[in-house]
Amino acid sequence: MPLPSPHEALIYLMVITSASDRDMTDVELARIGDVVRTWPVFEDFSHDRLVGIAQDCQKSLHEKDGLEGVLARVAEALPERLRDTAYAAAFEVAAVDLEMRLEEVRVLQLIRLKLDLDTLTVAAIARAAKARLRTLT
């Protein structure tokens, strides 16, 4: 299987995080769409490709190497400078419904390890996402 493009790799991580608890909620799917529409890293991405890429990710997860294989290809496809951005996108999807299930935490750990992110970077991303998503009630 060929390596995904950097855009595809970012989307794969969001899809994997959303699907980790076997329940891709409308809120999570909407957040993936929001990230793709609004984050500068996606400014030259053709938005009509999003659904197809998400479907490709789902198919890849069912192949022989499964999640490990997808994460390895994603890590190889992402330039070093986009690794924290990729983790931030995945965390955004996990945190958007204001509850993080154990499966999502575990997938985020796997992503962090595959992308070789340090503890301080991960903590900063988590803190920023929580602050951004906090409500008054």
Side-chain angles (χ1 to χ4, degrees), residues 45-73:
F45 176 73
S46 176
H47 299 110
D48 59 335
R49 295 184 52 226
L50 179 58
V51 173
I53 292 168
Q55 290 170 340
D56 290 344
C57 178
Q58 291 286 359
K59 288 178 197 169
S60 295
L61 289 170
H62 295 310
E63 290 179 359
K64 181 182 174 188
D65 294 336
L67 178 60
E68 270 301 310
V70 173
L71 290 177
R73 287 194 309 278

Side-chain angles (χ1 to χ4, degrees), residues 8-48:
E8 291 167 341
L10 290 163
I11 292 167
Y12 276 27
L13 291 182
M14 290 187 286
V15 169
I16 288 167
T17 303
S18 178
S20 64
D21 59 1
R22 302 187 192 278
D23 182 25
M24 294 180 76
T25 67
D26 290 341
V27 173
E28 291 170 339
L29 293 173
R31 178 55 92 200
I32 292 170
D34 289 344
V35 168
V36 170
R37 275 190 309 281
T38 62
W39 285 24
V41 72
F42 287 105
E43 69 184 16
D44 60 342
F45 176 73
S46 176
H47 299 110
D48 59 335

Side-chain angles (χ1 to χ4, degrees), residues 42-113:
F42 287 105
E43 69 184 16
D44 60 342
F45 176 73
S46 176
H47 299 110
D48 59 335
R49 295 184 52 226
L50 179 58
V51 173
I53 292 168
Q55 290 170 340
D56 290 344
C57 178
Q58 291 286 359
K59 288 178 197 169
S60 295
L61 289 170
H62 295 310
E63 290 179 359
K64 181 182 174 188
D65 294 336
L67 178 60
E68 270 301 310
V70 173
L71 290 177
R73 287 194 309 278
V74 163
E76 192 176 342
L78 283 171
E80 183 77 28
R81 65 184 182 79
L82 288 182
R83 290 180 174 219
D84 56 353
T85 303
Y87 184 83
F91 196 95
E92 193 79 18
V93 172
V96 72
D97 55 8
L98 303 178
E99 61 176 301
M100 205 164 298
R101 294 177 184 88
L102 186 58
E103 297 90 345
E104 290 170 321
V105 171
R106 181 68 184 128
V107 164
L108 287 171
Q109 282 179 323
L110 292 172
I111 292 170
R112 189 194 95 203
L113 292 171

